[in-house]
Amino acid sequence: MSVQERKQRERAERERLIVATARELAEQQGWDAVTTRRLAERIEYSQPVLYSHFRGKREIIGAVALEGATEMAAALRAAASAADRPRTRVTALARTYLDFAARNPAVYDALFQLDGGLAFANEDTPQPLQDAFAALLESLGEVAGDGVHPGLFTEVFWAALHGLATLTRARRLPPEDTERRVELLVDRLAKV
């Protein structure tokens, strides 16, 4: 291995450490607790080293969001592939989405609530975000109904899931009714 390859590998490892530490800190204490000073202390590097990887907290939030989008896409695809019928696929997708949001609140915030400097819904949208949407579209497109554009249907279904995730987390909806909400969403929106 050349010196340059070793330095690139070490740089990538430092970047992964920064992202993992930011994510861990945000999950434990919220995003307000994630500061470059605190991250530098936790990873035992100076702030200039941290800034050599990310220009600031916004870019770190974006990196956490991209990592989370990749994880979400994998979870959604796994749930969909384990189901053998359209209805069970859509139900599994909804449950998996809501479970991901509940288990990873800081990542979910990085994806959908905070400014991570990422473009959504245009040609500059990073691939992990496109993949997360595609993971929904792959199963939801088949249940959109006649004359309904699959992408538009997926956006509406996703918006409903996001609303359920956000309102449940904010304690605006009782969590014990989550399963009934999923069933209602699938029954009323999906043509299965």
Side-chain angles (χ1 to χ4, degrees):
M1 173 183 304
S2 73
V3 172
Q4 183 175 355
E5 289 171 332
R6 181 183 52 79
K7 285 184 179 186
Q8 287 174 339
R9 187 187 77 233
E10 289 170 354
R11 179 172 177 76
E13 288 172 5
R14 268 194 315 272
E15 194 165 299
R16 280 191 295 277
L17 178 62
I18 293 166
V19 171
T21 304
R23 182 176 174 169
E24 178 183 319
L25 188 56
E27 292 291 3
Q28 292 172 352
Q29 300 177 30
W31 278 104
D32 287 342
V34 179
T35 64
T36 54
R37 179 179 300 237
R38 188 176 260 170
L39 283 174
E41 289 171 3
R42 283 214 174 181
I43 64 171
E44 298 178 347
Y45 284 102
S46 67
Q47 283 183 285
V49 169
L50 195 132
Y51 283 115
S52 75
H53 291 273
F54 299 99
R55 286 181 280 199
K57 183 175 176 177
R58 181 179 187 219
E59 284 189 6
I60 294 168
I61 290 168
V64 169
L66 293 176
E67 185 177 271
T70 299
E71 292 170 11
M72 179 184 275
L76 293 170
R77 285 190 173 109
S81 69
D84 60 350
R85 294 186 323 264
R87 180 181 177 75
T88 55
R89 250 189 309 283
V90 173
T91 302
L93 218 57
R95 287 179 183 143
T96 300
Y97 184 96
L98 295 173
D99 183 57
F100 182 90
R103 284 185 301 107
N104 304 283
V107 172
Y108 194 82
D109 284 349
L111 272 163
F112 302 118
Q113 306 286 13
L114 302 174
D115 179 10
L118 304 173
F120 282 80
N122 66 43
E123 63 259 1
D124 295 336
T125 301
Q127 194 60 47
L129 298 178
Q130 291 180 36
D131 288 344
F133 184 78
L136 290 169
L137 178 63
E138 290 160 7
S139 291
L140 294 173
E142 70 179 323
V143 298
D146 293 336
V148 178
H149 187 277
L152 186 62
F153 177 79
T154 301
E155 290 170 353
V156 171
F157 201 92
W158 170 34
L161 290 173
H162 176 69
L164 290 173
T166 303
L167 292 169
T168 301
R169 185 167 147 211
R171 300 180 195 268
R172 303 294 195 269
L173 297 174
E176 62 271 12
D177 292 330
T178 297
E179 187 59 33
R180 290 185 351 174
R181 287 187 199 97
V182 167
E183 291 299 322
L184 184 60
L185 180 63
V186 172
D187 286 343
R188 302 301 169 139
L189 281 183
K191 300 297 181 191
V192 287

